[in-house]
Amino acid sequence: MELNAKIPPGPLEQKWSYYKDHAKLVNPANRKKLDVIVVGTGLAGSAAAASLAEMGYKVKSFCFQDSARRAHSVAAQGGVNAAKNYKNDGDSVYRMFYDTLKGGDFRSREANVYRLAECSLALIDQAVAQGVPFGREYGGYLNNRSFGGVQVSRTFYSRGQTGQQLLLGAYQALIRQVSAKAISLYTRHEMLDLVVIDGKARGIIVRNLDTGEIERHAAHAVILATGGFGKIYYLSTLAMGCNASAIWRAHKKGAFMASPSWTQIHPTSLPQSGEYQSKLTLMSESLRNDGRIWVPLKQADNRKPNDIPEAERDYYLERRYPAFGNLAPRDISSRAAKERIDAGFGIGAQKNAVYLDFSKAIKEQGQDKIKEKYGNLFSMYRKITDIDAYSEPMMISPAAHFSMGGLWVDYELMTTIPGLFALGEANFADHGANRLGANSLLQACVDGYFIAPYTLSNYLSDEIKTGSIDTKHPEFEMAEAAVIEQLQKLSAINGNKTADYYHKKLGKLLYDHCGLSRNKSGLEYAISEIKLLRADFYQHLKVPGTPAEMNGELEKAGRVADYLEVAELMCYDALTREESCGAHFREEYQSPEGEAMRNDEKFCFVSAWAWTGLNQEPKLYPEPLVFENVALTVRSYK
């Protein structure tokens, strides 16, 4: 099978306009005849559902949370990027396109990335019209700050709550359509399988999490906007409910997974404080605008940070990457922190953290100015640690965060299953091997508001004569039977180990061997251990209760069962990519200075994987990446 990215012809800056000008349309009367399912109510899902319903399509929206506005987009803090050049510091659509492409280590499509930058301009205007309270300067103009991997200020923000405020805007648009009866909203419903009829996505099987009832829902197209799978590491910045099940079960029905090993470790999480933890807290990357990162020059220095004089501090990011300093990209900053910690310079009770120090910024700008910019983040830090970061440096540490990999999609955001679309973090499309900060909120919004309405219509224009999809079709019968069989199987094992036990074991295995750094022997070891862990899971898992009731442990068991398969593919993907690029750091492929070394001759492609069956090696379908507008240069932030 040859992958077709469907990139439009013409110059880079005209491709999206060309596509919109030539896309097929569906007239308003026919839109009422077409059903669309949207799974996920975060920024991508809510934006897509609201936009499509506003256009006249009949939409069903699903989420497993008790409220659509509890989607994980709410947790994003620092900001959303847009190339408005309000600071007059040289920003442009092209510069944002280049920064994103370079930040991803030249492992993403030019056309998709340029469209992301191009659409960023309209997003800010839309968000303001929705009432998103972006930070403003004294005169009332929208303010900007900078994020890692760039040398301009293009990040719009709402203190440290940008994701929450953007999601409230999207949620209001969603609920408006629910009130207008254009959207049927199903909260506390989890997608457990995709239904494919004659090669096309035609519906989903869901479980009502309150009653245990299994339901069938049909549509002419299905959108997955279910977020990323960074929670596979167990300890991560993600909510406990975040998972890979929706995209993974679609993968097993024929949707290719792309570059699943490209997972981001965020440099500014709060460090783990004990074995009891199940989640880590993210501190916004925006703090790196004013905070300076350092460790003591002396190993195992147990003095309090304020007792360590300036001459005995190592501001290692400023030392190693002077051009970008504390705003070096996330992958580079995280690896640099890990290197210092592993070398014995870590701080804190467990020696697993570094300092983020605001003393210089407070001295120069005043505490009130720092509080105005980051006050809620400082309050959150004090609530968790009982430390006043205005008078003592924060302690931060790398933690699993974002999935650059996901379902493979073409330029239209359609997967290898016709009629199945993936938006936001559920797809692989825009970030390459490393995501720049504040681009995740941007991608989710752009995919939902500005791209999906065009590409869905282009696809649905050929579905007008299809008629309604019958949920009594044999494919629905078989998919439901398979879901019930899986739930009963997990419940019947009746062992003595919880789903959390297996999740925790898997997470540590991945962090050690497919985390910040990887090597051949470690990845081979991880694959063999994952297979053993999966076999043990199906022998000794304990799920109390039954499938026919509210059962949170059964939910977790199903998600961990999927993680045990996703993890193996992650390691296969990392093993076959014999280069270092972005967040994928193979220890065998690095410069004498410890920097990543790409191999453009052999690995300038996206790894797209097909499911071949349990305990079978997955099949690789590389999508070559063609660069016509930028030169493939060594990624340097020095």
Side-chain angles (χ1 to χ4, degrees):
M1 177 178 179
E2 186 174 335
L3 296 171
N4 179 9
K6 299 180 188 173
I7 298 172
L12 182 66
E13 64 275 10
Q14 296 176 19
K15 288 182 184 296
W16 181 228
S17 294
Y18 179 93
Y19 179 89
K20 291 187 290 184
D21 290 343
H22 293 82
K24 300 174 187 174
L25 302 177
V26 180
N27 77 48
N30 284 331
R31 292 175 205 158
K32 300 173 185 177
K33 305 174 185 176
L34 296 167
D35 299 295
V36 179
I37 285 173
V38 182
V39 185
T41 58
L43 277 172
S46 287
S51 299
L52 292 166
E54 181 81 40
M55 294 168 69
Y57 294 107
K58 292 191 295 181
V59 178
K60 287 184 177 181
S61 174
F62 295 84
C63 69
F64 61 72
Q65 295 91 347
D66 56 0
S67 167
R69 64 189 178 94
R70 293 194 67 184
H72 195 61
S73 298
V74 76
Q77 299 166 331
V80 56
N81 287 332
K84 288 283 199 178
N85 195 31
Y86 282 176
K87 293 290 187 179
N88 196 30
D89 54 2
D91 202 9
S92 65
V93 169
Y94 182 87
R95 189 176 294 277
M96 182 174 171
F97 151 74
Y98 184 79
D99 284 346
T100 301
L101 207 62
K102 175 186 174 183
D105 218 350
F106 303 97
R107 288 293 178 262
S108 51
R109 293 191 201 117
E110 283 188 336
N112 286 67
V113 175
Y114 192 90
R115 178 174 62 183
L116 179 74
E118 180 183 354
C119 291
S120 71
L121 306 177
L123 172 63
I124 301 304
D125 300 331
Q126 167 148 330
V128 170
Q130 286 179 325
V132 175
F134 286 126
R136 293 179 181 269
E137 296 177 336
Y138 178 77
Y141 294 104
L142 294 182
N143 205 355
N144 296 117
R145 54 191 177 204
S146 191
F147 257 55
V150 303
Q151 292 178 308
V152 297
S153 295
R154 67 163 66 103
T155 304
F156 294 77
Y157 62 92
S158 184
R159 293 190 109 184
Q161 314 170 349
T162 315
Q164 179 181 1
Q165 298 303 326
L166 284 168
L167 185 60
L168 286 172
Y171 173 74
Q172 290 175 114
L174 175 77
I175 294 302
R176 177 173 177 266
Q177 296 302 320
V178 172
S179 299
K181 302 190 184 312
I183 294 177
S184 299
L185 178 61
Y186 296 82
T187 59
R188 296 282 296 154
H189 282 68
E190 182 171 23
M191 172 185 161
L192 295 183
D193 207 356
L194 177 75
V195 179
V196 179
I197 300 174
D198 297 329
K200 294 183 177 181
R202 293 303 195 192
I204 60 174
I205 306 296
V206 300
R207 180 171 179 266
N208 183 322
L209 300 183
D210 290 332
T211 66
E213 182 183 0
I214 304 300
E215 302 173 7
R216 308 175 187 179
H217 293 273
H220 296 91
V222 176
I223 295 174
L224 299 184
T226 52
F229 52 90
K231 192 63 189 173
I232 197 169
Y233 290 95
Y234 190 70
L235 281 177
S236 80
T237 65
L238 281 76
M240 284 299 291
C242 295
N243 63 85
S245 290
I247 62 172
W248 186 250
R249 299 189 185 190
H251 170 62
K252 294 171 79 169
K253 283 295 182 75
F256 286 8
M257 282 282 286
S259 305
S261 69
W262 289 347
T263 51
Q264 184 170 82
I265 309 297
H266 199 292
T268 57
S269 165
L270 298 193
Q272 182 183 5
S273 57
E275 287 297 315
Y276 57 85
Q277 279 183 269
S278 58
K279 186 190 183 305
L280 298 173
T281 301
L282 175 68
M283 301 304 292
S284 170
E285 181 173 307
S286 62
L287 293 170
R288 293 200 280 152
N289 275 281
D290 289 298
R292 301 178 72 199
I293 296 172
W294 63 275
V295 293
L297 275 175
K298 185 173 69 174
Q299 290 179 328
D301 192 330
N302 293 317
R303 289 177 292 174
K304 292 184 178 180
N306 292 340
D307 293 337
I308 301 176
E310 190 76 10
E312 296 178 35
R313 300 179 179 187
D314 178 16
Y315 295 92
Y316 58 88
L317 287 178
E318 297 175 25
R319 169 172 56 83
R320 292 182 60 179
Y321 307 102
F324 285 73
N326 297 295
L327 285 173
R330 290 178 178 176
D331 59 322
I332 288 173
S333 300
S334 292
R335 282 198 298 274
K338 181 178 185 294
E339 185 275 329
R340 290 289 80 192
I341 291 168
D342 290 349
F345 296 93
I347 55 93
Q350 299 198 34
K351 303 298 181 186
N352 62 346
V354 299
Y355 287 124
L356 180 61
D357 192 334
F358 291 87
S359 58
K360 183 179 180 182
I362 290 172
K363 184 178 180 180
E364 292 176 349
Q365 302 175 42
Q367 183 170 315
D368 288 345
K369 187 64 176 177
I370 297 301
K371 188 173 184 178
E372 179 186 330
K373 289 195 260 186
Y374 315 112
N376 63 311
L377 296 169
F378 277 65
S379 297
M380 182 171 71
Y381 184 82
R382 178 157 195 168
K383 185 179 290 186
I384 295 170
T385 66
D386 198 30
I387 295 173
D388 178 10
Y390 294 110
S391 58
E392 183 177 325
M394 289 182 180
M395 291 186 291
I396 58 169
S397 183
H401 181 56
F402 188 89
S403 312
M404 280 80 66
L407 290 180
W408 184 92
V409 292
D410 58 25
Y411 188 77
E412 297 183 298
L413 306 185
M414 188 158 67
T415 70
T416 48
I417 299 176
L420 177 67
F421 295 77
L423 312 187
E425 197 177 348
N427 72 36
F428 86 99
D430 294 344
H431 307 298
N434 172 64
R435 177 176 66 79
L436 292 186
N439 268 352
S440 70
L441 292 180
L442 175 63
Q443 185 207 359
C445 290
V446 164
D447 284 1
Y449 286 127
F450 302 132
I451 300 176
Y454 283 96
T455 62
L456 260 289
S457 294
N458 185 64
Y459 173 78
L460 291 172
S461 64
D462 293 329
E463 296 294 324
I464 297 169
K465 296 180 181 179
T466 299
S468 61
I469 309 299
D470 188 358
T471 56
K472 295 180 181 178
H473 190 283
E475 291 294 342
F476 276 93
E477 300 269 0
M478 288 189 289
E480 181 180 316
V483 163
I484 293 172
E485 181 183 2
Q486 168 75 345
L487 294 171
Q488 291 174 341
K489 179 180 180 181
L490 294 173
S491 296
I493 296 169
N494 199 28
N496 57 5
K497 298 173 184 174
T498 65
D500 281 333
Y501 166 84
Y502 289 101
H503 192 176
K504 197 170 186 178
K505 293 268 288 187
L506 177 66
K508 188 173 189 316
L509 187 65
L510 284 178
Y511 191 83
D512 288 345
H513 300 291
C514 194
L516 270 169
S517 61
R518 302 98 186 262
N519 59 57
K520 185 175 186 289
S521 61
L523 290 166
E524 290 173 340
Y525 171 79
I527 291 170
S528 64
E529 287 296 304
I530 290 167
K531 290 178 178 178
L532 292 174
L533 190 62
R534 189 166 64 234
D536 191 84
F537 174 87
Y538 283 105
Q539 289 180 345
H540 298 114
L541 173 71
K542 175 67 175 180
V543 177
T546 69
E549 61 182 342
M550 183 185 291
N551 193 334
E553 285 301 308
L554 182 59
E555 296 167 34
K556 285 195 285 188
R559 296 165 189 170
V560 172
D562 292 331
Y563 275 152
L564 286 164
E565 296 173 3
V566 176
E568 189 173 347
L569 182 60
M570 285 174 63
C571 293
Y572 269 116
D573 185 48
L575 184 62
T576 57
R577 186 168 285 274
E578 296 176 342
E579 66 166 352
S580 290
C581 60
H584 170 64
F585 189 77
R586 282 285 295 268
E587 294 169 1
E588 305 96 322
Y589 308 103
Q590 58 179 304
S591 70
E593 296 80 24
E595 304 297 338
M597 291 181 64
R598 292 196 321 266
N599 185 338
D600 294 331
E601 185 177 340
K602 293 184 177 179
F603 294 99
C604 193
F605 60 76
V606 171
S607 300
W609 295 93
W611 172 259
T612 58
L614 194 61
N615 295 319
Q616 303 293 319
E617 285 198 15
K619 186 169 179 57
L620 174 64
Y621 291 88
E623 180 207 337
L625 291 170
V626 178
F627 294 92
E628 299 175 340
N629 298 274
V630 300
L632 289 174
T633 59
V634 175
R635 182 171 173 247
S636 175
Y637 292 91
K638 295 184 176 183

